[in-house]
Amino acid sequence: MTLESVRPAESVADRLTLERVGEFRFRGRAHDGPSQRSYGGEVAGQAVLAAGLTAPGDRPIHSAQTYFLLPGDTTVPTEFAVEPVRDGGSFSTRRVEAVQDGRVIFTMLASFHRPEDGLAHQVAHLDTPGPDEVPDLAEVFAEHPEALRWTTTLLNALGVDARFPDPPARAHAMHGATAAPRQRVWLRTRQPVPDTGLEQAACLMYLSDLLLLSATTGPHGEALRDRELQVATVNHSIWFHSPIRVDEWFLHDQYGRWAGGARGLAHGEILDRSGRLCATTMQEGLIRARTPR
């Protein structure tokens, strides 16, 4: 996404709104303004919504695996075609393709599960101050106004609030310093999201794509200081464990598990303020360092 002259975003829920144009077909509207590369989380969130609108109402989504095939264009409507792969006794599976100008730009396989009781535990836990106790963005990027401008413009464009318990990878890179392959960020939508589980899940998918891949760049901050990075999500997966409200603060604890061969692999754990693990994420993407000409 080009961040120059991006207008403030409407609500996340409004951005994901779909028009039903067939039993298993939906359309997302184009956005006003100049042509820009679509935010991947928006396409993925709309795909979750499209799949869920064709699944039995008593089966919330529990997992989604996605592939980003081509860049999207914000000025072109996106068509979502859903294939009802299977409806079993307790699970339903849906395949979704997102199409622009006759080309498939994105694909997703999602699974829905009727709620059941079972064994329960979690390893993830909160080990960070709450969002009201951490520095605001102006303090985090106090010595780097360019990074502050980039970050605030991005968040304004997406309609998201963010607070960092520790300086993110970008802040370390601006110092020409390396960092641990981990970053933690508190997130929430700026405007309320409807109470339905499906819309909350679609908006969580939207937010889960934000900043995750950059967790893999921390150990390479110094090496990347004078380079231009080409970064793009290749595939993104999420597992939904417990209901969560995305218009209330939640933590995305992000780990850069591996980088090599111009790719990176990041893992995230999404916890609410009580410390409950609500979702797990994995993302692989292109991270190509290009020396400026």
Side-chain angles (χ1 to χ4, degrees), residues 2 12 19 81 92 94-95 104 111 122 129 146 159 189 191 194 202 207 214 220 263 270 272:
T2 301
V12 172
E19 175 191 3
S92 293
R94 297 292 185 267
R95 181 179 291 110
V104 178
S111 184
Q122 70 176 61
E146 182 180 347
T189 62
Q191 297 186 43
L207 288 162
S214 65
H220 313 283
R263 301 192 315 280
I270 292 175
D272 65 16

Side-chain angles (χ1 to χ4, degrees), residues 248-269:
E248 298 176 357
W249 288 113
F250 65 88
L251 184 76
H252 198 178
D253 197 353
Q254 304 170 342
Y255 299 83
R257 294 300 188 186
W258 172 86
R263 301 192 315 280
L265 182 69
H267 160 237
E269 295 172 334

